[in-house]
Amino acid sequence: LLASIAAQECKLAAPNPHAIVTCQHKYISRLIQKKYVPEATPAAQLIEYDKKYSPEQLPSFPFFIKPIKSFHSYGAQKIISAQALNAYLETITIAQAFCDPLDWAIRKYSDYQLPTHAYIAEEFLDGNMQVTIEGYAFDGNIQMRGVVDSVMYPNTISFSRFEYPSQLSQEVRNRIAEISANFMQNIGFDNGLFNIEFMYNARTETIHIIEVNSRMVSQYADIYEKVDGTNTYEIALAIAVGKNPHVKKQQGAYRAAASFPMRIFNDALVKSVPNADE
């Protein structure tokens, strides 16, 4: 967001702040998704910090909740009852100061008038495959990079690994690409990288947007290079200097690649860290 503001002030190639704000405010993003790609948009509701909610005031259970302005999926949780929601609202908090920069950007660079210090409750997405499509915009043209499969640890919403290329059929990947291009084009996103997370349900053949991010996935840059032959940072740098990126496909050293987050599920205490020499 700050980079887009600085770029606009300096007249450099970058997405405009209004498009970035549209993606970063999770509830605004849902409202705009509903306008342009309603078939892929789950139901969503704004949940305020200082209110108590009865069941009739809420979406049907279960639903998914997260802060409007979050960080690394903090507070993302499945809610099964009104009691669970009220307990959640008492324990999951985001400091107002954390939301202030986005509030400032919304006031200065957009015509939206919605709070950031709040939560979003969303329809719980049932599906058998979560994927992320990455793409870029240059000089008004939207291009897709590829689709990566997200593999979870069993019975969790924690990523085990990311695999490329996706195992989805070409037809489903084309549908995902069409939805993504339609949305990004309509919000005026240009001269930058983006990624959109999707849930695919093979039984109902439905596709729903989980989240839109107005940035590259740095963790995927290496696996794209291994399979296709172009590192995503090369695309970002080309756009930054006003050049149309040259993106290779299936010219890498490997047919498939994966990225594994390092993760533990038990509490731990850090007793020491490496010194400068180590």
Side-chain angles (χ1 to χ4, degrees):
L1 179 58
L2 281 176
S4 72
I5 292 168
Q8 185 178 78
E9 295 293 328
C10 299
K11 296 180 172 53
L12 299 172
N16 67 71
H18 189 279
I20 302 289
V21 163
T22 301
C23 297
Q24 285 203 358
H25 190 292
K26 298 184 188 302
Y27 186 61
I28 289 173
S29 184
R30 286 299 191 208
L31 294 177
I32 307 304
Q33 290 167 35
K34 189 175 181 181
K35 180 178 179 180
Y36 293 119
V37 287
E39 74 282 6
T41 307
Q45 179 178 329
L46 191 71
I47 302 290
E48 297 182 49
Y49 264 85
D50 53 355
K51 285 189 176 181
K52 296 287 185 182
Y53 289 86
S54 57
E56 59 271 13
Q57 295 174 297
L58 298 167
S60 57
F61 296 104
F63 61 80
F64 203 71
I65 192 169
K66 54 190 174 185
I68 289 290
K69 178 74 178 114
S70 189
F71 179 74
H72 280 208
S73 300
Y74 171 74
Q77 193 170 310
K78 183 178 179 181
I79 299 292
I80 60 172
S81 67
Q83 293 85 352
L85 172 65
N86 290 325
Y88 173 94
L89 295 177
E90 290 176 2
T91 56
I92 302 297
T93 59
I94 296 285
Q96 177 64 57
F98 181 70
C99 302
D100 284 345
L102 183 57
D103 270 332
W104 168 81
I106 287 172
R107 290 193 305 270
K108 187 170 176 63
Y109 293 97
S110 83
D111 51 1
Y112 303 126
Q113 296 180 350
L114 285 167
T116 59
H117 199 234
Y119 307 89
I120 180 172
E122 303 180 322
E123 173 188 352
F124 191 77
L125 297 179
D126 182 28
N128 59 304
M129 181 76 81
Q130 182 172 329
V131 302
T132 300
I133 191 167
E134 189 163 23
Y136 64 92
F138 177 75
D139 200 19
N141 295 312
I142 304 283
Q143 299 291 332
M144 296 304 154
R145 180 82 213 265
V147 178
V148 174
D149 293 342
S150 300
V151 182
M152 305 292 183
Y153 284 97
N155 303 314
T156 75
I157 57 171
S158 296
F159 298 116
S160 168
R161 64 189 182 276
F162 305 99
E163 299 178 345
Y164 181 68
S166 172
Q167 295 185 50
L168 287 178
S169 69
Q170 186 63 54
E171 185 270 335
V172 174
R173 281 180 280 157
N174 289 344
R175 287 170 59 194
I176 288 172
E178 185 178 352
I179 291 166
S180 302
N182 189 12
F183 179 72
M184 301 309 288
Q185 195 93 49
N186 275 293
I187 67 170
F189 186 91
D190 199 7
N191 296 319
L193 286 139
F194 64 88
N195 73 87
I196 305 179
E197 298 171 60
F198 283 89
M199 182 68 76
Y200 174 65
N201 188 315
R203 181 177 56 82
T204 59
E205 296 188 351
T206 52
I207 298 168
H208 286 101
I209 295 172
I210 298 173
E211 190 168 273
V212 180
N213 298 301
S214 51
R215 55 169 173 77
M216 66 180 286
V217 187
S218 56
Q219 192 166 1
Y220 296 172
D222 177 64
I223 61 176
Y224 278 124
E225 183 176 16
K226 281 181 165 62
V227 176
D228 289 334
T230 302
N231 189 294
T232 317
Y233 283 99
E234 296 177 61
I235 300 174
L237 290 168
I239 293 171
V241 296
K243 294 182 179 179
N244 192 2
H246 174 65
V247 182
K248 301 173 186 175
K249 293 293 289 184
Q250 297 180 331
Q251 295 182 44
Y254 307 94
R255 291 179 60 191
S259 174
F260 292 77
M262 298 180 69
R263 193 184 301 278
I264 58 172
F265 288 96
N266 54 296
D267 291 341
L269 177 67
V270 177
K271 293 184 175 181
S272 65
V273 296
N275 60 36
D277 291 337
E278 289 168 332

